[in-house]
């Protein structure tokens, strides 16, 4: 399976909608799109992983590298996890939790919540 990343903008945030599988072969696609968004001046980024079916350690590596890049630019990164993330225990959420990195990210149930400055992230 391939990885598809579409980039849009909402309320001043770059919204990258990701679908498919994030693995060793496909994760560089996401890395490239994130780097392009930052190069275009985007410092507030939402990664919508709602349609990600699988994520291995290379995908997690891209998420951590994205966090590091955004933080180095004094930006903001928010994630949307499949099946409402912490609520459902989706595959991506379980992988992040098992590796002990889930707590590093602000996770929201959907894009609308992620864009709402008053919203509170889901707990880890």
């Amino acid at each position: 399976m391939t990885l598809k990343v579409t980039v849009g903008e909402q309320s001043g945030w770059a919204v990258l909608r990701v679908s498919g599988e994030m693995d060793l072969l496909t994760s560089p696609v996401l890395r490239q799109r994130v780097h392009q968004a930052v190069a275009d001046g985007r410092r507030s980024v939402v990664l919508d992983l709602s349609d990600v079916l699988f994520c291995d350690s290379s995908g997690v590596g891209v998420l951590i590298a994205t966090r590091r890049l955004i933080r180095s630019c004094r930006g903001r990164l928010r994630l949307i996890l499949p099946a409402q993330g912490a609520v459902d225990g989706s595959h991506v959420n379980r992988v992040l939790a098992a590796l002990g990195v889930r707590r590093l990210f602000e996770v929201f149930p959907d894009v609308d919540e992620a864009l709402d400055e008053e919203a509170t992230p889901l707990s880890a």
Side-chain angles (χ1 to χ4, degrees), residues 10-124:
Q10 282 183 252
S11 304
W13 288 74
V15 178
L16 285 73
R17 297 180 190 277
V18 185
S19 61
E21 296 183 356
M22 290 175 46
D23 59 26
L24 182 62
L25 295 176
T26 61
S27 295
V29 172
L30 178 57
R31 177 174 291 151
Q32 178 184 16
R33 292 296 178 95
V34 167
H35 280 264
Q36 186 60 52
V38 170
D40 289 344
R42 300 287 176 222
R43 299 298 181 262
S44 298
V45 176
V46 172
L47 294 181
D48 182 354
L49 306 175
S50 299
D51 293 325
V52 173
L53 305 173
F54 175 81
C55 180
D56 70 8
S57 59
S58 355
V60 173
V62 169
L63 296 177
I64 291 170
T66 297
R67 179 182 181 269
R68 189 177 314 119
L69 174 64
I70 297 297
R71 286 175 59 97
S72 74
C73 298
R74 300 190 200 289
R76 300 178 292 172
L77 174 65
R78 296 181 173 175
L79 302 184
I80 311 305
L81 292 181
Q84 299 183 355
V87 175
D88 185 307
S90 69
H91 173 77
V92 176
N93 191 57
R94 287 192 313 268
V95 169
L96 293 176
L99 294 173
V101 297
R102 166 67 172 73
R103 61 183 168 70
L104 299 176
F105 299 97
E106 287 188 1
V107 176
F108 292 84
D110 55 46
V111 173
D112 290 336
E113 288 282 320
L115 299 176
D116 181 353
E117 296 298 334
E118 304 295 321
T120 304
L122 297 171
S123 60

